[in-house]
Amino acid sequence: KQEVTQIPAALSVPEGENLVLNCSFTDSAIYNLQWFRQDPGKGLTSLLLIQSSQREQTSGRLNASLDKSSGRSTLYIAASQPGDSATYLCAVNSNYQLIWGAGTKLIIKP
Amino acid sequence: DTEVTQTPKHLVMGMTNKKSLKCEQHMGHRAMYWYKQKAKKPPELMFVYSYEKLSINESVPSRFSPECPNSSLLNLHLHALQPEDSALYLCASSQDGTGRGNTEAFFGQGTRLTVV
């Protein structure tokens, strides 16, 4: 059974820092992995989708990597801003369903 | 346009009421999903529609009744809900019509449901 873990559960950093969020999964047989952002009480915004054949994807200040063999993905955020404060969730497409991590709550201090 | 639109944004209903949640997308996506999300938890899959047909029902109680009138619309009919059904209900869509989620999933902003 696929399990997805996100570490840390919460992270607070000063503005301007580069940071890394981690996502690990137990079964390397995945179709893709998607990173989402969720603001309090709001829906989910798709940030990046990495297909199983890809190693990384970039969008603006965000870079996501995927290492299927080790069951890991990282989301790198460059030059963090207070507006980046949100909960970040990763979801693995495994066995025809999205399997979710519990999320990392990120706070960027001005 | 990568927008999934959900209405209403907020809903308060009594346990004897009947209400409906609506979801709309105009991206030509052939798979649509309903998720339930409790506070500080990840979303839980409820239903998947693939090419307007129900393909997955995650053992959801019958007081939740989904409907897909056409390829752009998805409804969730609610009847005789319990207070523990209070949650954020999210709709999503993806291009892949198999409903397997092989393509990027786009989510709406959700409906905050409170059952009193």
Side-chain angles (χ1 to χ4, degrees), chain B residues 33-96:
Chain B
Y33 311 78
W34 280 114
Y35 285 85
K36 173 183 177 180
Q37 187 180 27
K38 301 285 271 186
K40 299 184 180 181
K41 297 289 186 182
E44 300 172 33
L45 182 65
M46 299 175 71
F47 303 104
V48 180
Y49 271 83
S50 172
Y51 291 102
E52 301 162 46
K53 293 189 184 334
L54 183 65
S55 61
I56 294 177
N57 176 342
E58 289 290 342
S59 303
V60 179
S62 60
R63 57 185 184 269
F64 295 91
S65 176
E67 178 195 20
C68 189
N70 59 55
S71 60
S72 299
L73 295 175
L74 186 65
N75 298 321
L76 186 63
H77 303 297
L78 313 173
H79 174 56
L81 294 193
Q82 302 298 310
E84 58 265 29
D85 296 322
S86 298
L88 181 67
Y89 288 84
L90 294 163
C91 174
S93 70
S94 64
Q95 188 173 23
D96 175 23

Side-chain angles (χ1 to χ4, degrees), chain A residues 31-32 34 36 38 40-49 51 89 93 95-98 100-102 105, chain B residues 10 35 37 40-45 56 58 88 90 99-110 112:
Chain A
Y31 291 102
N32 55 51
Q34 199 164 350
F36 294 89
Q38 186 170 34
K42 302 293 186 181
L44 295 159
T45 300
S46 177
L47 298 174
L48 290 163
L49 171 74
Q51 298 291 356
L89 295 119
N93 184 337
N95 198 26
Y96 311 145
Q97 289 193 25
L98 286 179
W100 297 83
K105 183 175 181 179
Chain B
H10 301 276
Y35 285 85
Q37 187 180 27
K40 299 184 180 181
K41 297 289 186 182
E44 300 172 33
L45 182 65
I56 294 177
E58 289 290 342
L88 181 67
L90 294 163
R100 295 174 180 177
N102 289 351
T103 55
E104 189 172 5
F106 294 90
F107 282 76
Q109 287 301 297
R112 172 69 60 189

